[in-house]
Amino acid sequence: MAEEMLKFVDLVQAYPEKRDAVARAQDFREIADRYSPSSGEAQAARCSQCGVPYCSLHCPLHNHIPDWLRLTAEGRLREAYELSNATSTMPEICGRICPQDRLCEGNCVIEFAGHGAVTIGAVEKFITDTAWENGWVEPLLPGPPRGQSVGIIGAGPAGLTAAEYLRVAGYDVHIYDRHDRPGGLLTYGIPGFKLEKPIVMRRVERLAAGGVHLHQNIAVGGDTGLDELRARHDAVLVATGVYKARDIKVPGIGAAGVVAALDYLIASNRKGFGDAVPAFDDGRLNAAGKHVVVIGGGDTAMDCVRTAVRQGAASVKCLYRRDRANMPGSQREVANAEEEGVEFAWLSAPKAIEAGERVSAVRATRMRLGAPDASGRRAPEADPGSDFTLAADLVITALGFDAEDVPTLFGAPGLGVSRWGTVLTDNKTMMTSIDGVFAAGDIVRGASLVVWAIRDGRDVSAAMRRYLKSKAQGERQAA
Protein backbone atom coordinates (compact mmCIF):
# COMPACT_ATOMS: atom_id res chain seq x y z
CA MET A 1 0.00 0.00 0.00
CA ALA A 2 2.79 2.40 0.89
CA GLU A 3 4.09 2.39 -2.67
CA GLU A 4 0.71 3.19 -4.18
CA MET A 5 -0.74 5.66 -1.67
CA LEU A 6 0.22 8.76 0.32
CA LYS A 7 1.27 10.70 -2.77
CA PHE A 8 -0.45 13.92 -1.73
CA VAL A 9 2.88 15.62 -0.91
CA ASP A 10 4.40 15.17 -4.37
CA LEU A 11 1.28 15.07 -6.55
CA VAL A 12 -0.92 18.15 -6.75
CA GLN A 13 -4.70 18.00 -6.71
CA ALA A 14 -6.08 17.90 -10.25
CA TYR A 15 -9.73 17.63 -11.21
CA PRO A 16 -10.70 16.52 -14.74
CA GLU A 17 -10.14 19.48 -17.04
CA LYS A 18 -13.22 21.58 -17.71
CA ARG A 19 -14.13 22.60 -21.21
CA ASP A 20 -13.67 26.25 -22.14
CA ALA A 21 -16.40 28.33 -20.51
CA VAL A 22 -17.50 29.95 -23.78
CA ALA A 23 -17.70 26.61 -25.57
CA ARG A 24 -19.49 24.74 -22.83
CA ALA A 25 -22.08 27.50 -22.46
CA GLN A 26 -23.29 26.63 -25.96
CA ASP A 27 -24.65 23.19 -25.03
CA PHE A 28 -26.02 21.07 -22.19
CA ARG A 29 -23.25 18.48 -22.14
CA GLU A 30 -21.40 17.92 -18.90
CA ILE A 31 -18.70 20.53 -18.50
CA ALA A 32 -15.82 18.11 -17.81
CA ASP A 33 -14.86 14.69 -19.05
CA ARG A 34 -13.76 11.97 -16.68
CA TYR A 35 -10.19 11.05 -15.84
CA SER A 36 -8.00 8.96 -18.07
CA PRO A 37 -7.06 5.69 -16.31
CA SER A 38 -3.60 6.98 -15.44
CA SER A 39 -4.94 10.29 -14.07
CA GLY A 40 -7.72 8.63 -12.08
CA GLU A 41 -5.35 6.14 -10.50
CA ALA A 42 -2.80 8.87 -9.73
CA GLN A 43 -5.36 11.14 -8.05
CA ALA A 44 -6.72 8.24 -6.00
CA ALA A 45 -3.17 7.57 -4.82
CA ARG A 46 -3.11 10.97 -3.10
CA CYS A 47 -5.33 9.51 -0.33
CA SER A 48 -3.57 9.44 3.05
CA GLN A 49 -5.47 6.31 4.18
CA CYS A 50 -6.03 7.98 7.55
CA GLY A 51 -7.09 5.89 10.53
CA VAL A 52 -10.30 7.87 11.07
CA PRO A 53 -11.71 8.52 7.59
CA TYR A 54 -13.59 11.79 7.97
CA CYS A 55 -14.59 11.56 4.30
CA SER A 56 -16.62 8.42 5.06
CA LEU A 57 -18.01 9.82 8.30
CA HIS A 58 -19.31 12.92 6.52
CA CYS A 59 -20.79 10.96 3.60
CA PRO A 60 -24.49 10.29 4.28
CA LEU A 61 -24.04 6.82 2.76
CA HIS A 62 -20.82 6.18 4.72
CA ASN A 63 -19.19 4.96 1.54
CA HIS A 64 -15.95 3.00 1.97
CA ILE A 65 -14.04 5.83 0.34
CA PRO A 66 -10.42 5.17 1.41
CA ASP A 67 -10.78 1.51 0.47
CA TRP A 68 -12.01 2.08 -3.06
CA LEU A 69 -9.48 4.87 -3.54
CA ARG A 70 -6.71 2.39 -2.68
CA LEU A 71 -8.12 -0.19 -5.09
CA THR A 72 -8.30 2.46 -7.80
CA ALA A 73 -4.69 3.51 -7.18
CA GLU A 74 -3.67 -0.12 -7.56
CA GLY A 75 -5.48 -0.40 -10.89
CA ARG A 76 -8.10 -2.77 -9.46
CA LEU A 77 -10.99 -0.80 -10.92
CA ARG A 78 -13.55 -3.57 -10.98
CA GLU A 79 -13.05 -4.22 -7.28
CA ALA A 80 -13.16 -0.48 -6.63
CA TYR A 81 -16.49 -0.25 -8.43
CA GLU A 82 -17.95 -3.23 -6.58
CA LEU A 83 -17.01 -1.72 -3.22
CA SER A 84 -18.40 1.67 -4.22
CA ASN A 85 -21.61 0.04 -5.42
CA ALA A 86 -21.96 -1.92 -2.16
CA THR A 87 -23.20 1.14 -0.28
CA SER A 88 -24.77 3.21 -3.08
CA THR A 89 -27.27 2.45 -5.81
CA MET A 90 -26.11 5.42 -7.89
CA PRO A 91 -22.38 6.09 -7.34
CA GLU A 92 -21.82 7.69 -10.74
CA ILE A 93 -24.73 10.07 -10.11
CA CYS A 94 -23.45 11.03 -6.65
CA GLY A 95 -20.00 11.51 -8.15
CA ARG A 96 -21.49 14.09 -10.50
CA ILE A 97 -23.94 16.02 -8.36
CA CYS A 98 -23.03 15.65 -4.68
CA PRO A 99 -21.63 18.84 -3.12
CA GLN A 100 -18.36 17.10 -2.26
CA ASP A 101 -16.88 20.41 -1.14
CA ARG A 102 -19.35 20.33 1.77
CA LEU A 103 -19.24 16.58 2.44
CA CYS A 104 -16.45 14.10 1.78
CA GLU A 105 -13.84 16.36 0.16
CA GLY A 106 -14.60 19.22 2.51
CA ASN A 107 -13.63 16.94 5.39
CA CYS A 108 -10.59 15.31 3.79
CA VAL A 109 -7.63 15.24 6.18
CA ILE A 110 -5.12 16.38 3.59
CA GLU A 111 -7.39 19.31 2.76
CA PHE A 112 -6.99 20.40 6.38
CA ALA A 113 -3.22 20.02 5.99
CA GLY A 114 -3.18 22.39 3.03
CA HIS A 115 -2.47 19.88 0.26
CA GLY A 116 -5.90 20.00 -1.40
CA ALA A 117 -8.52 17.30 -0.90
CA VAL A 118 -8.50 14.02 -2.74
CA THR A 119 -10.83 14.43 -5.74
CA ILE A 120 -13.27 11.83 -4.41
CA GLY A 121 -16.29 12.69 -6.55
CA ALA A 122 -14.34 12.69 -9.80
CA VAL A 123 -12.76 9.33 -8.95
CA GLU A 124 -16.18 7.89 -8.07
CA LYS A 125 -17.50 9.01 -11.46
CA PHE A 126 -14.43 7.57 -13.19
CA ILE A 127 -14.63 4.09 -11.71
CA THR A 128 -18.40 3.71 -12.19
CA ASP A 129 -18.44 5.01 -15.76
CA THR A 130 -15.60 2.58 -16.45
CA ALA A 131 -17.71 -0.19 -14.93
CA TRP A 132 -20.63 0.58 -17.24
CA GLU A 133 -18.38 0.64 -20.29
CA ASN A 134 -16.80 -2.69 -19.42
CA GLY A 135 -20.01 -4.50 -18.53
CA TRP A 136 -19.17 -4.82 -14.85
CA VAL A 137 -22.53 -3.39 -13.76
CA GLU A 138 -24.50 -6.57 -13.29
CA PRO A 139 -28.21 -6.89 -14.02
CA LEU A 140 -30.58 -6.57 -11.11
CA LEU A 141 -31.31 -10.13 -10.03
CA PRO A 142 -34.44 -10.52 -7.89
CA GLY A 143 -34.33 -12.86 -4.93
CA PRO A 144 -36.67 -15.80 -4.43
CA PRO A 145 -40.29 -14.59 -4.64
CA ARG A 146 -41.75 -13.61 -1.28
CA GLY A 147 -45.37 -13.56 -2.35
CA GLN A 148 -45.72 -9.95 -1.17
CA SER A 149 -45.86 -6.69 -3.08
CA VAL A 150 -44.82 -3.11 -2.37
CA GLY A 151 -46.19 0.09 -3.87
CA ILE A 152 -43.82 3.07 -4.06
CA ILE A 153 -45.18 6.56 -4.70
CA GLY A 154 -42.48 8.57 -6.46
CA ALA A 155 -39.72 7.57 -8.89
CA GLY A 156 -37.04 9.88 -7.53
CA PRO A 157 -33.78 8.74 -5.92
CA ALA A 158 -35.38 7.58 -2.65
CA GLY A 159 -38.08 5.57 -4.42
CA LEU A 160 -35.71 4.07 -6.99
CA THR A 161 -33.22 3.09 -4.31
CA ALA A 162 -35.85 1.42 -2.14
CA ALA A 163 -37.22 -0.35 -5.21
CA GLU A 164 -33.81 -1.85 -6.01
CA TYR A 165 -33.19 -3.21 -2.53
CA LEU A 166 -36.73 -4.57 -2.18
CA ARG A 167 -36.64 -6.24 -5.58
CA VAL A 168 -33.31 -7.88 -4.78
CA ALA A 169 -34.96 -9.16 -1.59
CA GLY A 170 -37.63 -10.89 -3.70
CA TYR A 171 -40.60 -8.55 -3.39
CA ASP A 172 -42.89 -7.57 -6.24
CA VAL A 173 -42.28 -3.82 -6.58
CA HIS A 174 -44.50 -1.25 -8.30
CA ILE A 175 -43.53 2.43 -8.63
CA TYR A 176 -46.19 5.06 -9.32
CA ASP A 177 -45.05 8.46 -10.58
CA ARG A 178 -46.83 11.57 -11.80
CA HIS A 179 -44.36 12.26 -14.62
CA ASP A 180 -43.98 10.51 -17.96
CA ARG A 181 -40.38 9.49 -17.20
CA PRO A 182 -38.90 8.08 -13.97
CA GLY A 183 -36.13 9.79 -12.08
CA GLY A 184 -37.87 12.70 -10.38
CA LEU A 185 -35.55 15.68 -10.06
CA LEU A 186 -32.69 13.60 -11.48
CA THR A 187 -34.60 13.60 -14.77
CA TYR A 188 -36.47 16.88 -14.81
CA GLY A 189 -34.87 19.12 -12.17
CA ILE A 190 -31.12 18.82 -12.66
CA PRO A 191 -29.77 20.17 -15.97
CA GLY A 192 -27.80 18.01 -18.37
CA PHE A 193 -24.58 19.99 -17.88
CA LYS A 194 -24.46 18.51 -14.37
CA LEU A 195 -26.10 15.16 -15.08
CA GLU A 196 -26.65 13.95 -18.63
CA LYS A 197 -29.95 12.12 -18.89
CA PRO A 198 -28.70 8.81 -20.35
CA ILE A 199 -26.85 8.38 -17.04
CA VAL A 200 -30.21 8.38 -15.24
CA MET A 201 -32.10 6.38 -17.84
CA ARG A 202 -29.65 3.47 -17.81
CA ARG A 203 -30.25 3.08 -14.06
CA VAL A 204 -34.00 3.13 -14.61
CA GLU A 205 -33.74 0.62 -17.45
CA ARG A 206 -31.74 -1.70 -15.21
CA LEU A 207 -34.55 -1.64 -12.63
CA ALA A 208 -37.20 -2.31 -15.27
CA ALA A 209 -35.17 -5.21 -16.70
CA GLY A 210 -34.99 -6.62 -13.17
CA GLY A 211 -38.75 -6.74 -12.87
CA VAL A 212 -39.56 -3.45 -11.14
CA HIS A 213 -42.91 -2.26 -12.52
CA LEU A 214 -42.86 1.43 -13.47
CA HIS A 215 -46.27 3.12 -13.74
CA GLN A 216 -45.90 6.59 -15.26
CA ASN A 217 -48.40 9.45 -15.49
CA ILE A 218 -50.13 8.19 -12.34
CA ALA A 219 -51.02 10.92 -9.86
CA VAL A 220 -51.84 9.49 -6.45
CA GLY A 221 -54.87 11.36 -5.23
CA GLY A 222 -56.13 11.77 -8.80
CA ASP A 223 -55.71 8.62 -10.88
CA THR A 224 -55.55 6.44 -7.78
CA GLY A 225 -55.71 6.90 -4.03
CA LEU A 226 -53.62 5.87 -1.06
CA ASP A 227 -56.36 3.54 0.22
CA GLU A 228 -56.47 1.81 -3.15
CA LEU A 229 -52.71 1.28 -3.10
CA ARG A 230 -52.88 -0.06 0.44
CA ALA A 231 -55.49 -2.57 -0.65
CA ARG A 232 -53.36 -3.58 -3.65
CA HIS A 233 -50.01 -3.93 -1.85
CA ASP A 234 -48.69 -5.36 1.41
CA ALA A 235 -46.81 -2.13 2.15
CA VAL A 236 -46.63 1.34 0.62
CA LEU A 237 -43.77 3.83 0.54
CA VAL A 238 -44.36 7.57 0.13
CA ALA A 239 -41.27 9.01 -1.60
CA THR A 240 -42.73 11.94 -3.49
CA GLY A 241 -40.14 14.57 -2.65
CA VAL A 242 -41.14 18.20 -2.15
CA TYR A 243 -42.20 20.23 -5.16
CA LYS A 244 -44.18 23.21 -3.88
CA ALA A 245 -42.24 26.40 -4.65
CA ARG A 246 -41.76 28.75 -1.72
CA ASP A 247 -43.49 32.07 -2.11
CA ILE A 248 -41.84 35.44 -2.18
CA LYS A 249 -44.05 38.27 -0.97
CA VAL A 250 -43.19 41.40 -2.91
CA PRO A 251 -45.39 43.63 -5.05
CA GLY A 252 -45.72 42.51 -8.66
CA ILE A 253 -44.69 38.90 -8.05
CA GLY A 254 -47.64 37.61 -10.06
CA ALA A 255 -46.70 39.53 -13.23
CA ALA A 256 -46.24 37.78 -16.55
CA GLY A 257 -42.61 36.83 -16.93
CA VAL A 258 -42.12 35.80 -13.30
CA VAL A 259 -41.78 32.01 -13.18
CA ALA A 260 -40.94 29.32 -10.64
CA ALA A 261 -37.55 27.62 -10.90
CA LEU A 262 -38.88 24.09 -11.26
CA ASP A 263 -41.30 25.03 -14.05
CA TYR A 264 -38.39 26.62 -15.87
CA LEU A 265 -36.01 23.69 -15.38
CA ILE A 266 -38.59 21.05 -16.30
CA ALA A 267 -39.32 22.87 -19.56
CA SER A 268 -35.63 23.02 -20.41
CA ASN A 269 -35.05 19.35 -19.62
CA ARG A 270 -38.09 18.33 -21.64
CA LYS A 271 -36.69 20.19 -24.64
CA GLY A 272 -33.50 18.23 -24.13
CA PHE A 273 -35.52 15.03 -24.49
CA GLY A 274 -37.06 16.40 -27.69
CA ASP A 275 -40.53 16.94 -26.21
CA ALA A 276 -42.99 19.53 -27.43
CA VAL A 277 -43.12 22.23 -24.75
CA PRO A 278 -45.55 25.01 -25.75
CA ALA A 279 -44.56 27.30 -22.84
CA PHE A 280 -40.95 27.09 -23.98
CA ASP A 281 -41.68 27.46 -27.68
CA ASP A 282 -43.77 30.61 -27.16
CA GLY A 283 -41.01 32.15 -25.02
CA ARG A 284 -42.61 32.03 -21.57
CA LEU A 285 -40.05 29.53 -20.23
CA ASN A 286 -37.21 30.35 -22.61
CA ALA A 287 -34.46 32.80 -21.68
CA ALA A 288 -33.22 33.38 -25.24
CA GLY A 289 -32.44 37.08 -25.80
CA LYS A 290 -33.78 38.11 -22.39
CA HIS A 291 -32.37 39.90 -19.38
CA VAL A 292 -32.76 37.26 -16.67
CA VAL A 293 -32.78 37.76 -12.92
CA VAL A 294 -32.77 34.70 -10.68
CA ILE A 295 -33.73 35.21 -7.04
CA GLY A 296 -32.11 32.75 -4.63
CA GLY A 297 -28.73 31.34 -3.63
CA GLY A 298 -29.08 27.57 -3.55
CA ASP A 299 -28.12 24.89 -6.04
CA THR A 300 -31.47 25.27 -7.83
CA ALA A 301 -30.71 28.94 -8.41
CA MET A 302 -27.31 27.95 -9.84
CA ASP A 303 -29.04 25.46 -12.16
CA CYS A 304 -31.33 28.25 -13.38
CA VAL A 305 -28.63 30.86 -14.05
CA ARG A 306 -26.45 28.38 -15.91
CA THR A 307 -29.43 27.12 -17.93
CA ALA A 308 -30.31 30.69 -18.90
CA VAL A 309 -26.77 31.24 -20.18
CA ARG A 310 -27.07 28.17 -22.40
CA GLN A 311 -30.43 29.30 -23.74
CA GLY A 312 -28.81 32.48 -25.02
CA ALA A 313 -29.93 35.07 -22.48
CA ALA A 314 -28.80 38.65 -23.10
CA SER A 315 -27.68 38.87 -19.46
CA VAL A 316 -28.02 36.73 -16.35
CA LYS A 317 -27.91 38.05 -12.80
CA CYS A 318 -28.40 36.28 -9.49
CA LEU A 319 -29.88 38.17 -6.55
CA TYR A 320 -29.07 36.74 -3.10
CA ARG A 321 -29.74 38.32 0.27
CA ARG A 322 -26.63 37.04 2.05
CA ASP A 323 -22.98 37.16 1.04
CA ARG A 324 -21.06 34.56 -0.90
CA ALA A 325 -19.68 32.83 2.18
CA ASN A 326 -23.19 32.28 3.56
CA MET A 327 -24.96 31.04 0.46
CA PRO A 328 -26.40 27.50 0.71
CA GLY A 329 -25.37 26.42 -2.78
CA SER A 330 -22.10 24.76 -3.77
CA GLN A 331 -19.18 27.15 -4.13
CA ARG A 332 -18.04 25.13 -7.13
CA GLU A 333 -21.33 25.83 -8.85
CA VAL A 334 -20.94 29.55 -8.16
CA ALA A 335 -17.45 29.45 -9.69
CA ASN A 336 -18.75 27.60 -12.75
CA ALA A 337 -21.53 30.15 -13.15
CA GLU A 338 -19.13 33.09 -12.91
CA GLU A 339 -16.86 31.51 -15.53
CA GLU A 340 -19.88 31.26 -17.83
CA GLY A 341 -20.75 34.94 -17.46
CA VAL A 342 -23.30 35.08 -14.63
CA GLU A 343 -23.21 38.21 -12.47
CA PHE A 344 -23.97 37.95 -8.75
CA ALA A 345 -25.59 40.69 -6.69
CA TRP A 346 -24.60 39.59 -3.19
CA LEU A 347 -26.31 41.01 -0.11
CA SER A 348 -29.29 42.07 -2.22
CA ALA A 349 -32.98 41.29 -1.89
CA PRO A 350 -35.98 42.01 -4.14
CA LYS A 351 -38.26 44.81 -3.03
CA ALA A 352 -40.74 44.84 -5.91
CA ILE A 353 -41.27 43.53 -9.43
CA GLU A 354 -41.87 46.31 -11.92
CA ALA A 355 -44.21 45.33 -14.73
CA GLY A 356 -46.75 46.58 -17.23
CA GLU A 357 -48.11 43.78 -19.38
CA ARG A 358 -44.91 41.91 -18.55
CA VAL A 359 -42.08 42.19 -16.07
CA SER A 360 -39.60 44.93 -16.95
CA ALA A 361 -37.35 45.21 -13.90
CA VAL A 362 -36.63 44.06 -10.37
CA ARG A 363 -36.34 46.77 -7.76
CA ALA A 364 -33.99 45.58 -5.04
CA THR A 365 -32.32 46.81 -1.90
CA ARG A 366 -28.88 46.21 -0.46
CA MET A 367 -28.67 44.07 2.66
CA ARG A 368 -26.25 43.77 5.55
CA LEU A 369 -25.73 40.89 7.94
CA GLY A 370 -26.99 41.57 11.44
CA ALA A 371 -27.01 39.50 14.61
CA PRO A 372 -27.16 35.68 14.34
CA ASP A 373 -30.64 34.16 14.17
CA ALA A 374 -31.83 31.00 15.96
CA SER A 375 -29.85 28.81 13.54
CA GLY A 376 -26.62 30.69 14.25
CA ARG A 377 -26.51 32.38 10.84
CA ARG A 378 -26.30 36.16 10.74
CA ALA A 379 -29.70 37.41 9.70
CA PRO A 380 -29.84 39.74 6.68
CA GLU A 381 -31.44 43.14 7.20
CA ALA A 382 -32.14 45.95 4.78
CA ASP A 383 -29.59 48.73 4.39
CA PRO A 384 -31.74 51.91 4.29
CA GLY A 385 -31.52 54.09 1.22
CA SER A 386 -29.70 51.55 -0.91
CA ASP A 387 -32.35 50.67 -3.49
CA PHE A 388 -31.29 49.81 -7.04
CA THR A 389 -32.97 48.43 -10.15
CA LEU A 390 -32.11 45.55 -12.46
CA ALA A 391 -33.63 45.33 -15.92
CA ALA A 392 -35.46 42.04 -16.38
CA ASP A 393 -37.55 40.35 -19.06
CA LEU A 394 -37.63 37.06 -17.14
CA VAL A 395 -37.54 36.64 -13.37
CA ILE A 396 -37.02 33.16 -11.93
CA THR A 397 -37.78 32.55 -8.26
CA ALA A 398 -35.58 29.85 -6.71
CA LEU A 399 -36.21 30.10 -2.99
CA GLY A 400 -36.52 26.40 -2.23
CA PHE A 401 -39.36 23.93 -1.97
CA ASP A 402 -41.96 22.94 0.60
CA ALA A 403 -44.11 19.84 0.85
CA GLU A 404 -47.46 19.72 -0.86
CA ASP A 405 -50.54 19.11 1.30
CA VAL A 406 -50.04 15.36 1.17
CA PRO A 407 -52.98 14.24 3.39
CA THR A 408 -55.42 16.23 1.28
CA LEU A 409 -53.70 15.30 -1.97
CA PHE A 410 -53.81 11.59 -1.14
CA GLY A 411 -57.26 11.69 0.46
CA ALA A 412 -55.65 10.41 3.67
CA PRO A 413 -56.59 12.70 6.58
CA GLY A 414 -55.04 10.21 9.02
CA LEU A 415 -51.57 10.75 7.60
CA GLY A 416 -49.60 12.71 10.18
CA VAL A 417 -47.54 15.70 9.09
CA SER A 418 -45.19 18.12 10.78
CA ARG A 419 -45.76 21.86 11.10
CA TRP A 420 -43.72 22.20 7.89
CA GLY A 421 -46.05 19.84 6.02
CA THR A 422 -43.53 17.01 5.80
CA VAL A 423 -44.74 13.48 6.56
CA LEU A 424 -44.12 12.31 10.11
CA THR A 425 -42.52 8.91 10.61
CA ASP A 426 -41.39 6.84 13.55
CA ASN A 427 -37.64 7.31 13.91
CA LYS A 428 -36.98 3.58 14.29
CA THR A 429 -39.50 1.98 11.93
CA MET A 430 -39.80 4.81 9.37
CA MET A 431 -43.53 4.06 9.30
CA THR A 432 -46.09 6.86 9.14
CA SER A 433 -49.18 7.15 11.33
CA ILE A 434 -50.92 4.70 8.97
CA ASP A 435 -50.07 1.03 9.39
CA GLY A 436 -48.02 -0.36 6.53
CA VAL A 437 -47.37 3.06 5.00
CA PHE A 438 -43.76 4.24 5.15
CA ALA A 439 -42.12 7.48 4.00
CA ALA A 440 -38.58 8.48 3.06
CA GLY A 441 -36.56 11.18 1.34
CA ASP A 442 -37.39 14.85 1.06
CA ILE A 443 -41.06 14.30 1.91
CA VAL A 444 -39.82 13.46 5.43
CA ARG A 445 -36.66 15.53 5.89
CA GLY A 446 -37.60 18.50 3.69
CA ALA A 447 -35.71 19.68 0.61
CA SER A 448 -32.28 18.10 0.83
CA LEU A 449 -29.55 16.37 -1.17
CA VAL A 450 -29.86 13.45 -3.56
CA VAL A 451 -27.34 11.50 -1.49
CA TRP A 452 -29.59 11.78 1.55
CA ALA A 453 -32.55 10.54 -0.48
CA ILE A 454 -30.49 7.50 -1.52
CA ARG A 455 -29.54 6.90 2.12
CA ASP A 456 -33.19 7.15 3.18
CA GLY A 457 -34.24 4.77 0.40
CA ARG A 458 -31.67 2.25 1.59
CA ASP A 459 -32.76 2.58 5.23
CA VAL A 460 -36.48 2.42 4.57
CA SER A 461 -36.10 -0.70 2.45
CA ALA A 462 -34.60 -2.47 5.46
CA ALA A 463 -37.42 -1.21 7.70
CA MET A 464 -40.04 -2.37 5.19
CA ARG A 465 -38.46 -5.80 4.93
CA ARG A 466 -38.74 -6.22 8.70
CA TYR A 467 -42.38 -5.17 8.58
CA LEU A 468 -43.21 -7.45 5.66
CA LYS A 469 -41.50 -10.42 7.28
CA SER A 470 -43.48 -9.87 10.48
CA LYS A 471 -46.70 -9.49 8.50
CA ALA A 472 -46.10 -12.71 6.60
CA GLN A 473 -45.38 -14.57 9.84
CA GLY A 474 -48.59 -13.23 11.38
CA GLU A 475 -50.63 -14.32 8.36
CA ARG A 476 -49.13 -17.84 8.48
CA GLN A 477 -49.90 -18.17 12.16
CA ALA A 478 -53.46 -16.94 11.62
CA ALA A 479 -53.96 -19.53 8.88
Side-chain angles (χ1 to χ4, degrees), residues 114-168:
H115 292 283
V118 179
T119 55
I120 297 168
V123 174
E124 186 175 36
K125 171 185 171 180
F126 159 64
I127 61 177
T128 317
D129 283 358
T130 301
W132 277 102
E133 287 186 357
N134 286 278
W136 302 339
V137 180
E138 297 180 353
L140 189 159
L141 299 177
R146 301 272 184 170
Q148 292 175 300
S149 71
V150 174
I152 297 176
I153 306 170
L160 294 177
T161 295
E164 177 165 342
Y165 284 112
L166 289 165
R167 185 63 184 145
V168 167

Side-chain angles (χ1 to χ4, degrees), residues 23-108:
R24 73 188 193 225
Q26 306 303 311
D27 58 50
F28 282 83
R29 290 172 46 216
E30 291 179 13
I31 70 170
D33 293 325
R34 69 169 186 264
Y35 287 128
S36 66
S38 59
S39 296
E41 292 169 15
Q43 287 299 311
R46 296 182 67 249
C47 176
S48 67
Q49 297 288 287
C50 51
V52 179
Y54 291 111
C55 56
S56 295
L57 292 174
H58 287 272
C59 169
L61 290 166
H62 299 313
N63 288 331
H64 306 302
I65 296 169
D67 298 321
W68 51 253
L69 285 172
R70 175 176 55 81
L71 291 168
T72 301
E74 294 172 355
R76 298 158 65 184
L77 296 186
R78 183 164 189 167
E79 294 170 79
Y81 158 71
E82 289 171 351
L83 191 57
S84 172
N85 192 65
T87 51
S88 175
T89 56
M90 305 177 187
E92 74 279 24
I93 291 175
C94 288
R96 285 168 162 84
I97 64 174
C98 269
Q100 287 96 7
D101 53 335
R102 304 204 309 261
L103 299 173
C104 54
E105 294 178 24
N107 291 279
C108 177

Side-chain angles (χ1 to χ4, degrees), residues 259-269 280 284-288 292 294 303-309 311 394 396:
V259 302
L262 194 53
D263 293 341
Y264 175 70
L265 293 172
I266 288 175
S268 178
N269 279 310
F280 181 94
R284 284 175 290 165
L285 296 175
N286 184 356
V292 178
V294 176
D303 292 344
C304 290
V305 294
R306 298 182 65 202
T307 294
V309 167
Q311 290 177 351
L394 178 64
I396 303 170

Side-chain angles (χ1 to χ4, degrees), residues 170-344:
Y171 295 99
D172 189 27
V173 179
H174 294 254
I175 302 179
Y176 305 87
D177 193 77
R178 70 179 80 181
H179 293 294
D180 57 346
R181 293 182 181 91
L185 292 180
L186 298 177
T187 299
Y188 283 132
I190 299 173
F193 52 79
K194 286 171 60 177
L195 178 61
E196 293 180 3
K197 301 313 161 187
I199 304 298
V200 181
M201 292 302 112
R202 69 187 179 188
R203 282 287 173 189
V204 170
E205 290 161 4
R206 178 174 172 273
L207 292 179
V212 173
H213 304 281
L214 297 162
H215 306 277
Q216 302 304 135
N217 296 309
I218 300 293
V220 176
D223 302 298
T224 188
L226 183 59
D227 287 343
E228 183 180 343
L229 293 183
R230 292 182 66 209
R232 190 182 303 167
H233 301 289
D234 295 283
V236 173
L237 171 63
V238 180
T240 56
V242 292
Y243 283 85
K244 181 182 176 184
R246 287 180 184 157
D247 293 331
I248 176 172
K249 294 179 173 60
V250 297
I253 195 64
V258 180
V259 302
L262 194 53
D263 293 341
Y264 175 70
L265 293 172
I266 288 175
S268 178
N269 279 310
R270 283 194 175 280
K271 290 301 293 185
F273 278 108
D275 295 351
V277 185
F280 181 94
D281 297 335
D282 66 17
R284 284 175 290 165
L285 296 175
N286 184 356
K290 295 177 180 175
H291 296 285
V292 178
V293 174
V294 176
I295 301 172
D299 288 334
T300 300
M302 298 306 98
D303 292 344
C304 290
V305 294
R306 298 182 65 202
T307 294
V309 167
R310 284 159 175 77
Q311 290 177 351
S315 67
V316 183
K317 295 181 174 63
C318 182
L319 203 63
Y320 181 56
R321 61 181 182 157
R322 288 186 166 93
D323 60 9
R324 181 174 189 148
N326 284 282
M327 71 173 299
S330 167
Q331 292 294 329
R332 291 181 187 171
E333 286 300 294
V334 175
N336 288 332
E338 288 178 326
E339 291 169 3
E340 293 163 7
V342 176
E343 298 177 46
F344 286 84

